[in-house]
Amino acid sequence: VDGREDSYTKGIDISKDAKLIAVRFSGNKILIIRTTEKNDYKILSNHVGCVFSILFLKKQNIMLSGGNDGYLCIWNTEDMT
């Protein structure tokens, strides 16, 4: 939105090695897609409010998500928990 950079939300991220894609899904869920395997995905659903941001850390197996529910979730992407 022009002139409203403070309202930016990030509903998608790609891991540094490009093996995982995380996408905000159905408001309060996150869809994780493993790019190295056909039809390999998981839906993460720890948020009770809308997910606003998703971020893979440089450390391979950690992803963060935040939402309007006030939660910051730390996910282990090796076992998708």
Side-chain angles (χ1 to χ4, degrees):
V1 177
D2 197 22
R4 296 194 53 189
E5 290 80 15
D6 59 340
S7 65
Y8 174 78
T9 63
K10 184 178 177 188
I12 186 169
D13 199 19
I14 301 172
S15 64
K16 306 308 176 215
D17 61 2
K19 292 182 180 179
L20 296 172
I21 300 171
V23 181
R24 179 179 56 218
F25 175 73
S26 187
N28 66 337
K29 296 176 179 67
I30 300 169
L31 175 66
I32 302 286
I33 303 164
R34 191 175 308 274
T35 61
T36 57
E37 302 290 328
K38 187 176 182 179
N39 297 322
D40 189 7
Y41 67 91
K42 181 161 184 165
I43 297 173
L44 306 175
S45 58
N46 223 26
H47 287 280
V48 294
C50 186
V51 174
F52 282 160
S53 295
I54 301 169
L55 176 69
F56 284 100
L57 299 183
K58 289 182 181 180
K59 184 178 177 185
Q60 286 295 83
N61 62 339
I62 300 293
M63 183 188 77
L64 304 176
S65 63
N68 70 352
D69 54 12
Y71 293 125
L72 172 65
C73 295
I74 302 171
W75 304 94
N76 178 338
T77 58
E78 284 188 24
D79 60 7
M80 304 287 189
T81 58

